[in-house]
Each structure stands twice: as structure tokens, then as C-alpha cells.
Amino acid sequence: MQQVPLLSLITFLPIIGMIIILFLPKNNDKVIKALTLAVTGIQVILGIVIWRFYDYSLGGIYNQATFQFVEKFRWIEIPSVSWLGTIKIDYFLGIDGISAPLILLTAIITFVATLASWNIKTSLKGYFALFLLLDTGMMGVFVSLDFFLFYIFWEVMLLPMYFLIGIWGGPRKEYAAIKFFIYTLLGSVFILLAMIGLYLSATETLADGSKVFTFNMLALMNSENYTHDGILSPLNPNNFRLLAFLALFVGFAIKIPMFPFHTWLPDAHVEAPTAISVILAGVLLKMGTYGILRINYPMFPEITHQLAWWIAMFGMINIIYGALCALAQKDFKKLIAYSSVSHMGFVMLGMASLNTAGISGAVFQMFNHGTITAMLFIIVGIIYDRAHTRGINDFGGLANQMPIYTGFVTIAFFAAIGLPGLSGFISETFVFLGAFHVESIRLITVISTLGILLGAGYMLWTLQRIFLGELNPKWNTLNDLTFREYAMLVPLTIIIIVLGIYPSLMLDLMNSSVNTMVEFLLKSPVSFSGL
Amino acid sequence: MSIEYFLNSLYLIKPEIAVTIFLVLIVLLDLFFSKKNHLLPFFAFLGLLITGYFVIEQFDIKGLAFVTNDSRAMVTVDSFAAFFKTIVVITSLYFVLLTVNSKEMDETHDRRGEYYTLMMGMVLGMFFMISGSDLILLYLSVELVSLSSYVMAGFAKTSERSSEASLKYLIYGALSSGLMLFGISLVYGLTASTNLYELNALIVVSQANSFVLMFALLLIFAGIGYKISAVPFHFWTPDVYEGAPTPVTAYLSVASKAAGFALLIRFIKVSFVFDKDTLGFWSSNPVFNWQDFLIVISVATMTLGNFAALWQKNVKRMLAYSSIAHAGYLLTGLAVLSDTGLIAILVYFAIYLMMNIGAFLIVILIKNKTGSEELDNYDGLGFSMPFLGVSFTIFLISLTGLPPTAGFIGKLYLFMALVDAKMIVLAVIALLNSVVSLYYYIRILKHMFLAKPKENSPKEELSLQQILIVLSLVIPVIFFGLYFSPIVELAKNSILMLGF
């Protein structure tokens, strides 16, 4: 499979779709929808092909030889600007066990989100063009191994997201859209600053023996590549590595979103159309944690060790704070949004443990949270389409009116709570196993388990208020699921159940990379802090 | 100076000669064939193309023109000058295209002759601002540019705002060029020279009273700062940019700013920098701390520009403040005092040209249909004019500095220069400023795409010519955002400047 540029294909296929859509005449709604569905469908197939040919034994992380589906060629080359060295930027794609699950997730979620976009009525052409652009941005972030390329994809997502929320969103869409944009841009300028600092601190040796500054992520993970006086070089006694770590961390934390940078999330979710909420919760939030794993951890291993306790601490705050906020919500969608904040806290807690169980749990939780929350947002969308309200207290007794729907809701809710047999259980267990194993964050872990209790609280209480009890006669015209809604919910349900029963399917995929990462984090701090 | 020196220098100023010839020709044509004056734009365009050819020729030349003794040259010809002259020529070409496509300028058609004469005069002045190396010549060229632009700003005589703009411009301009002249005279008094190359050594040798010298330099900076609209010499900018006909605004915001920057850079580099190290950092004369001074000015300029733009309700006025902010970003590149910073400025300027002219072009085309530049009248235009809406989006995103547009590359190089010089705080301030700028740029998009369209909002009817002009700016903005080697190569080769 080496000859086929699978990763480029899966990344740029949506752009091709977008261009075709832009050239289609205006009133071709059906063609546009079908085309988008085809594009995202092919992405899913490509994702499965990648999965099928993925070699579970290769670790990735810092070694290019153990990355898979690598595509690397020179993109920009400006020779001999003596004082900046030769500027060269590679088009460098590749995946390992950390990014592979997220590529699968992105493909699945965008496909489901396309189905969820079916009832978009106005300016379809613009909607699906932006949707596909967003798709490319998301895929690109997960496949790029060059920091410059990564940053471009990272930023490409902002504008489509702004318009998707701002044009097709709810009543306060303008506020939500601009808030999202400003927050994430603020985060990404910090990333940009750290990126430039890293670039000017590390060199890569070319084939002819000359040394050039580099954006290559893998080169930036090797302490030997750093120059003596670079501002982010471990060899420089007056370096700014701690600051750079924090800059990157804040940049990514805004996306997670980590308390106290989370305030854009409930607004964005409540105003965004269903499909965009699905993408936002399903994929976009994962980019924050992915960025920390891909960039902060291996490039700053010594500081990662120093600050692991704080990451766990903020993870705990996210878990508890998100859950408490969720308990207080009266809006169904806002409740799910805050439950996202809480569940992303588990990812952070798992990451902070720095051991195999914890990091596996974190990556697995990213995947599971993606599928489960996507399902929850679809569920909210379904009821909102019918009743045009999201007030939890407006409903009651829907179980009799919409029994099949209620069945799916129950599965999704139980998966979110972490019921054994469903995927959420496995990843949360791994997170707690890993975190509990680490002495310094044991107390934090213990407190975090309260989050599960609270989670069960708000989920079950919501289930009770909406589906049990007396049926409000106002709702006795509501229909059960349509074919399109089955098409969205069934695949996600299958994934949730299968991964709950047979988690190795996903764990094997990430296992050797997680091990490589843990090993790398164990041994590299010495070389990074040694002068 | 013998006549031979004079004649031997002529080949070095071919572009200036070409501009002058076309200036005279335009006057004559206007005089004798006034009925056919609709051909004048084509003629001016042709003149600019020929001038541009001579400018491009100069990329490889290094020479001093009108040399009286070893180093006293009036005019310097080097690739640095060629780069900025190219920017001026390209901007002027777009200026002609913008004018032809602007309905606002329709009423001035009987005065086309004057208009293009003034433009050619400005080009001539800017050329000498860019390559002049004597304070007297520089002062004269600044005046030549200013006088032409006062008239241009008020060219739409029937518009009150245009006349008001012209008057304000004149008053502020007269004041600041007076200050500049005073500063030059003080410098001459202290050093007995007005030649930039001589000043470099003389300022140290003369042991001039440092307070007087500092005062003189501040006065000179007032003149230049006024041209590049740096805070606190920016007061004229919003009013003039808003009141002047839009093509003129676009022209002032790019071309005369480019000339001002070229002048400032040459002034600092030739007269104050005496050495540079292997990493390209300049060592400047300790008599005046340009670095700290420029840092203060640049922070003030970008911050004020960006924050003032937040409250604007008129798109042109908003873009005026945005151009102040961009002057601030550019000044940070100069504050680094290094070759890297200089490259960054050149890269940024080439990109700024495309995105800023592009933004003003869209404003013109929209005004042709709606007759307004008020933000409220942009409501829903993104849907009734999709092509202009999308193009405007690309230009504004580029002005904000987001990938994958060229504006990002400009910012990237500036920030790389800052981080390279370990000026982290300045880099952070500039970055936060670009976050602030997003807010007002996106406000335009909010009105265009997020607001409900007004009833009977006009349809987008563009001629093929107009579409091509827009595309000629949109495509490079995207292309150079993804593949920026050509621009950086050009900038890299253009920082070779005569004189150290």
C-alpha cells in the first residue's frame, strides 16, 4: 500500500468535493447532499483500509521509520539565507497509534454529521462547502508531522467553524460564533509563538551534512538537534522552555476546553446546528488533547514530568466542575455540553499519569467520548427537530411515545455514565487504573471518581425527567425515529457496544505507540534537562 | 560637479526619466486631444509598465548617481530601492484600474489629465523618496508626493468630505514637513552635511550635543512618521482615508506608505548603522537608540490602530485604522535592526500590497452598487454578491494573518525576526494585537454573511474586467500563502543595500 498516498487522499478528498460543489449550479440541493455523503463515505472506507493495513507492532511517536503511510517531500525551500539557515518545510504526513484512532473517529463522525446536516434548508451550497473544508482541516491536523503544516490545518478549521455556527446557528449565533473564533485564535497565537521558538532552536541535518532549522516534529523531539543558544534549547541555561510549554498548553487547553478556558463551549454548542455540535464535540475537542500528546509531551518531556500533577489537577477540576454545571442545566443541549467538559477531564487525568494504562485510557477515552457525545448531540437534535424546545422540564413520559428513540438514548446515557459492557467504561477504568497507580496524583484520582457519581446523577435524572413519568399531552404527536436517524444512531451504537465488549479492537491499535510514548517519557527527560 | 558626472549618472535614473517623460506627455495629450481623454488611463498604464520595466532592470544594479566626491551621492540605486519601486509601480497600476472601475470617479472624468499627471508626479516623488540619499532631495521628494496627494485627496470636488479631507491633509502635512525641514536644518548645523552616507561618520566625529541631535532626529521622524501614519503622527489618517475617493485612499495606504518606509529604513541603516555581525544584526550608532524608540512607536501604533478600529462603523475608516495597525507591525520588523527584520518587512509589504489593495477594491465595487461604505449597508451582501463576499473574506482573513493566506506568511516572518532577536515581549504584544484585529475584520464578515439581507439588495453585476482584477489579487493571496518561496527569495535578494 506504500504507493497509494492514502493520507493525502483522505485529507484532501473533501477539498475536491468542495471545489466541485462550488462549481455546481445553485439549486442542486440533492446533488450537493449526495456528493458530500459520498465524499465522507469514501473517507470512512479509506479509514477502514488504513486500519486494515495498519501494522500494530510499530510504535511511531519519535521515530520516522516506525510511522506508517508516511508521505514526505519538500514543500518550501529557500536556499542559503545565511542568517536563518536554509528555510525548508516538508509536506510530511504519517500516522501512529495515537493518531490512527482519531482518523477513524474523524471519518466516522463527519459521515454521521453529514447525515445530521440533511435538514439544513438555507444556502446549502455554502454549508456543505464549508463543512468539507472543515473536514480537511480536521483530518490534516491528525496526519501532519510537520509543525508548520499542522498549524496551517489547525487554523484552516477556524473560519468554516465560525460561519457554520454564525450562519446556520440558533438565536444567539453571532455571539457564540465570534466567541469561539476569538478564544481559539487567542489559543493558536500562543501555539504560533512556541512554534517559532522551537523552529529557531532546533536544527535538522540534511543529506549533504548541512544543518537547517526545522519544523519537523520528530526532529524537535530529539534533544540532540537543539542548538546551543536557541531560546527553547535545553542546552541554553536561560531558556524559555517552561514558558513555551505553557504557551502550547494553553493554546491546546482552550480547545479541550480546560477550565477556566471552557466558557466558549456551552455557547458554541447551544447555538450550533446539530451536525456542527456533533463535529465540535466529536472531533474538535480531541485536537486539544491530541496536540498536548503529540507536541507538548515528546518535545518537552522534562517539563511534562514537572507539570503532570497540574495537568491531573486541572483534569479533576474539569471533571467535577463540568459535572456540577451539568447538574444545574435546564437546557438539554447545554447539559450535554457540560458533560463534555467533564468527560474531557478524564482524558487529561489519564494523560497526566504518564503510564501505559493511563495514556491508553486517555486516547481510548478520546475515541469513546467522540462517539458517545456525538450520539448524545444527535439525540438532542432529534428531539429538538420535533418539539422545537430543549427544556428538560418541558418533557416527560416520552418513553411511551418514542420507545425506540428512548432505547438509543438509554444506551448512550449509560455509555456516558460508564456502565460496564459499553465503551465508556473501559476507557474510564483505564484512566483511573493508570492515575491511581501514580502516588502523587492518587488523591486527585480519588476525588475525580466523584465525577462518575455525579455523571450518573445528572444523566439518570435527565433520563427520568424526559422519558419517564406522565406524558405531556402536548407531545403525543411526536413520531419515532426515521430512516435517516437510524442511519446515524445505529453505527454509533454498534461501535459503542462492540468496543465495550471487545476493546482490544481499539487498544491493540494504540498499544505499541502508547508504550513507545511512555518509554520515551521515561528516558528522554534526562537528555532534555542535561546541560 | 562636472557635467560628465551628471551625464554618467543618467542611466541610473532611467525609471525616473521614464516617469517624467510620461508626465509631460500626459499633460500635452490632455491639452491637445482633450476630447479623447478617455484614452489617458491606458496611456498612463502603458507609461507605468515601461517604468516598471526599467525598475526591474535595476534589481541587479548597484550604483550611486550624481556623485560629487567619494561618497556624496544624491541618489542611490540598489535592489532595495528596486524592490520598493516595484511596489510603487504595481500599486500605481492597480490605482489606474481602481479609478477606471470606480463610479465615484465618474464626475471627475473631464479632469482625467490632471489626475494622471498628479499620479505620475507622485510616482516620481516616491521614487526619489525610495532612492534618495541626501536629506535635501528627500525633503523635496516628500513634498512632491505630499502636494500631489493633497490635491488627489480632494479630487472629488463636489463631495464635501473629499474637500475636508484634502484640507486636513494639507494642514497636518504642512506642519509635519515643516518640522522635518527644521530637523534637517539642525542636523546640517551639527554636522555640516546633508548626505546620508557622510552623516554616519560625522555624527560621531562632530560630538554634537546629543540633546539637540536627538531633538533634530525626532523632528525628522515626525515628517516620515506622518507619511507612514505612525502614532502620534497619524491623526490625519482616518479622516483623509475616509473622505478621499477610495482609489486614492488605497493608493495612499500602500504606495506612499511604502515610500515612507523605504525612506525611514534607508535613513536609519545608512546614517546610523556602521556594522553588522554574521547573524545579520546591525550595530547602530549609540547617539540615538533607534531600537527602543521604534519599539515604543510600533507598540503604540499597532495598539491604537487596532483598538480604534474596533468601534468604527464605516468600512473605509475601519480600513484606515487597520492600515495604521499594519504600519505598527511593520515597524516592529525595523525595530529588530537586523537583516532578518528587513526581509520580514519586505515580505510583509509585498503581501500587504495585495491584500490591502484587494480590500479597497472590494469596497469600491460594493459602493458602485450600493452607494455606501457604511457597515450597516453591508448587511447580507455576502448572499446577494457571493463573489465579492468570498473575495472580501479572503482579503480580510489575510489582513488578520490567518493561514492559508499570504497575510499569515507576512506575520510569520515578522514574528520569526522578533523571536530570533529574543524580543519575546514585543512578539507577544504583536500577536495579541492580531487577535484584537480579528474582531473588527470579522465584523465586516458578520454584516455580510450573518445579518439578514436587506430587501431589494442589489445584484452582483460585474464586468469580466472587474472579475479579472479581483482574481488577480485573490489568487496570489492564496497562492503565496501556500507557496511563499518566490516572495521570500525576492525579498532576500532585495535587502542588499548600498552603503555601510
Side-chain angles (χ1 to χ4, degrees), chain A residues 70-366:
Chain A
V70 172
E71 293 166 38
K72 186 177 186 182
F73 55 84
R74 196 58 43 82
W75 170 22
I76 283 159
E77 183 165 17
I78 301 160
S80 73
V81 189
S82 58
W83 46 92
L84 265 183
T86 305
I87 294 175
K88 80 169 193 64
I89 300 172
D90 284 330
Y91 176 81
F92 184 16
L93 307 182
I95 55 171
D96 61 4
I98 307 287
S99 43
L102 295 170
I103 286 170
L104 290 177
L105 177 71
T106 310
I108 295 164
I109 297 296
T110 22
F111 180 75
V112 172
T114 311
L115 289 172
S117 310
W118 227 247
N119 48 8
I120 295 285
K121 296 279 186 297
T122 51
S123 339
L124 264 145
K125 201 171 147 179
Y127 178 89
F128 283 103
L130 289 167
F131 183 87
L132 289 172
L133 184 60
L134 178 68
D135 190 2
T136 290
M138 296 187 299
M139 278 292 181
V141 165
F142 292 130
V143 297
S144 27
L145 290 179
D146 186 278
F147 208 154
F148 188 81
L149 194 61
F150 174 92
Y151 188 78
I152 287 193
F153 282 124
W154 181 273
E155 294 276 270
V156 159
M157 291 177 314
L158 296 186
L159 196 67
M161 205 63 191
Y162 170 78
F163 282 124
L164 286 169
I165 299 175
I167 300 180
W168 291 274
R172 285 169 70 240
K173 56 190 182 179
E174 295 179 7
Y175 170 76
I178 191 73
K179 196 168 174 184
F180 164 80
F181 207 159
I182 297 272
Y183 261 74
T184 29
L185 185 68
L186 190 66
S188 46
V189 294
F190 286 119
I191 298 174
L192 175 64
L193 197 63
M195 175 179 104
I196 294 173
L198 283 167
Y199 172 76
L200 293 170
S201 306
T203 56
E204 193 182 11
T205 314
L206 290 187
D208 60 359
S210 59
K211 291 190 170 212
V212 293
F213 287 131
T214 180
F215 281 115
N216 184 334
M217 286 192 193
L218 309 185
L220 291 173
M221 292 172 195
N222 187 345
S223 59
E224 286 167 18
N225 287 334
Y226 284 85
T227 56
H228 278 273
D229 51 350
I231 55 167
L232 295 185
S233 164
L235 303 173
N236 181 351
N238 304 317
N239 63 45
F240 291 88
R241 284 176 67 81
L242 181 65
L243 271 181
F245 180 94
L246 290 177
L248 284 167
F249 189 78
V250 169
F252 293 129
I254 288 176
K255 206 76 162 197
I256 294 177
M258 184 184 88
F259 178 88
F261 308 113
H262 66 284
T263 58
W264 63 269
L265 183 83
D267 286 312
H269 268 312
V270 169
E271 303 308 326
T274 303
I276 302 310
S277 285
V278 168
I279 295 231
L280 192 58
V283 183
L284 254 66
L285 306 190
K286 311 301 169 297
M287 285 176 184
T289 39
Y290 173 76
I292 293 174
L293 278 179
R294 171 69 70 217
I295 290 168
N296 278 47
Y297 270 39
M299 290 181 200
F300 301 87
E302 83 286 13
I303 298 172
T304 305
H305 277 279
Q306 280 173 32
L307 296 184
W309 188 85
W310 288 99
I311 300 176
M313 187 66 192
F314 275 104
M316 181 195 87
I317 295 175
N318 255 39
I319 294 170
I320 306 288
Y321 176 84
L324 287 175
C325 285
L327 265 176
Q329 297 311 314
K330 292 194 174 68
D331 182 316
F332 196 2
K333 209 172 182 185
K334 224 170 185 167
L335 180 134
I336 305 296
Y338 275 111
S339 85
S340 265
V341 174
S342 179
H343 283 123
M344 289 308 285
F346 290 118
V347 180
M348 290 174 63
L349 183 64
M351 280 178 357
S353 68
L354 304 181
N355 55 30
T356 309
I359 295 182
S360 298
V363 179
F364 198 22
Q365 170 76 358
M366 285 198 239

Side-chain angles (χ1 to χ4, degrees), chain A residues 75-76 78-79 81 83 87 123 148 151 155 159 162 166-167 174 178 181 185 189 193 196 199-200 231, chain B residues 279 340 343 383 397 402-403 408 412-413 415 419-420 422 428 431 442 446 450 482-485 489 492:
Chain A
W75 170 22
I76 283 159
I78 301 160
V81 189
W83 46 92
I87 294 175
S123 339
F148 188 81
Y151 188 78
E155 294 276 270
L159 196 67
Y162 170 78
I167 300 180
E174 295 179 7
I178 191 73
F181 207 159
L185 185 68
V189 294
L193 197 63
I196 294 173
Y199 172 76
L200 293 170
I231 55 167
Chain B
L279 292 170
T340 333
I343 291 186
F383 295 102
I397 286 304
L402 293 181
F408 169 63
L412 179 77
Y413 268 83
F415 296 143
V419 175
D420 190 35
K422 306 203 170 29
V428 170
L431 277 167
I442 209 83
K446 190 182 97 180
L450 270 53
L482 293 171
Y483 187 74
F484 48 90
S485 310
E489 290 262 5
K492 187 190 79 190

